[in-house]
Amino acid sequence: MKHHSPIKDLKKHLRLGALARRDGLDAEYRIEASMRIAEIGLASFEVESGGIVSGFWPIRSEVDLRPLLFGLRERGARLCLPVIMDKQTILFRELVRGAPMVETGFGTAGPPEDAVVLDPTFMLVPLAAFDARGHRIGYGAGYYDRAISRLLEIGVNPRLIGVAFDCQEVEIVPDEPHDMPLEAILTESGLRRFGSTDKAI
């Protein structure tokens, strides 16, 4: 029997509240905010040519990252998208211009099975909610936490940039030991860096 976790309950409450606010955004506002997010990201991020950037294809009311991703590809980045392999694991398959997209779980689309699997060094991380310290609440399945842990285990230390709308901010995300704080959060009002790092993103 699973024991009752107050932290999990609080996270669920914060997640549902933030997602309801996101769902409530006007569709036109979401489009404009996504374009603004692309502009800010392209002005802020330094991704070396050949750098491997993971993003995500928008589902439901998420930020549409495609303008930002395609802008980074124009600068020489290699793009990849998460694909759910089983209940525990996501892998990142390369997004190649002109390749077909297939159903990849949870209503998402991604590159097909014959696409190259990459280990991203720069991750644009989806989230349900975030706080001013750079802590995130995901969608509850823990896929990204496990994927990031796996990358760290094999010696890849990816940059972690959360992407969300301003309305998804909450006062405080309760910490759990496995949580990986983000280096920065990108929203339509700007890029917020966290921690002591002053290096360019």
Side-chain angles (χ1 to χ4, degrees):
M1 185 177 132
K2 276 190 165 174
H3 73 269
H4 188 66
S5 162
I7 285 189
K8 286 214 170 8
D9 287 349
L10 178 53
K11 280 190 166 180
K12 183 178 180 184
H13 172 73
L14 292 170
R15 177 186 299 119
L16 292 174
L19 292 178
R21 291 193 299 277
R22 191 182 77 184
D23 288 343
L25 291 174
D26 179 72
E28 199 160 303
Y29 180 85
R30 276 204 294 270
I31 293 167
E32 287 174 8
S34 293
M35 294 304 291
R36 179 86 189 109
I37 283 166
E39 282 170 24
I40 296 164
L42 289 170
S44 306
F45 297 154
E46 293 176 17
V47 178
E48 66 280 7
S49 185
I52 300 171
V53 175
S54 73
F56 51 91
W57 229 233
I59 56 171
R60 299 186 295 270
S61 56
E62 277 182 337
V63 171
D64 187 347
L65 267 193
R66 289 172 292 191
L68 175 54
L69 290 173
F70 297 154
L72 291 171
R73 179 160 66 190
E74 293 300 310
R75 296 185 185 174
R78 292 178 78 182
L79 303 181
C80 54
L81 295 175
V83 177
I84 294 169
M85 305 307 290
D86 55 44
K87 283 197 162 57
Q88 292 293 310
T89 314
I90 52 173
L91 292 175
F92 295 89
R93 289 182 188 156
E94 185 162 19
L95 177 64
V96 178
R97 194 189 299 270
M101 298 285 275
V102 299
E103 179 68 33
T104 52
F106 282 135
T108 60
E113 278 181 35
D114 58 357
V116 177
V117 173
L118 298 176
D119 292 320
T121 54
F122 190 102
M123 298 178 76
L124 297 167
V125 182
L127 52 89
F130 67 93
D131 68 14
R133 304 172 305 147
H135 289 256
R136 70 182 269 276
I137 298 177
Y139 292 123
Y143 284 110
Y144 267 82
D145 293 322
R146 288 190 294 275
I148 293 162
S149 295
R150 183 188 68 81
L151 290 168
L152 293 172
E153 279 166 20
I154 61 171
V156 179
N157 186 15
R159 319 283 299 271
L160 303 176
I161 315 297
V163 187
F165 295 115
D166 286 327
C167 69
Q168 292 169 255
E169 184 169 358
V170 297
E171 198 168 328
I172 195 108
V173 169
D175 302 22
E176 290 189 270
H178 61 265
D179 289 341
M180 302 284 305
L182 300 163
E183 180 178 323
I185 283 269
L186 173 61
T187 72
E188 69 269 34
S189 60
L191 181 75
R192 279 191 261 176
R193 294 174 172 84
F194 305 109
S196 56
T197 173
D198 287 326
K199 60 186 175 182
I201 285 183

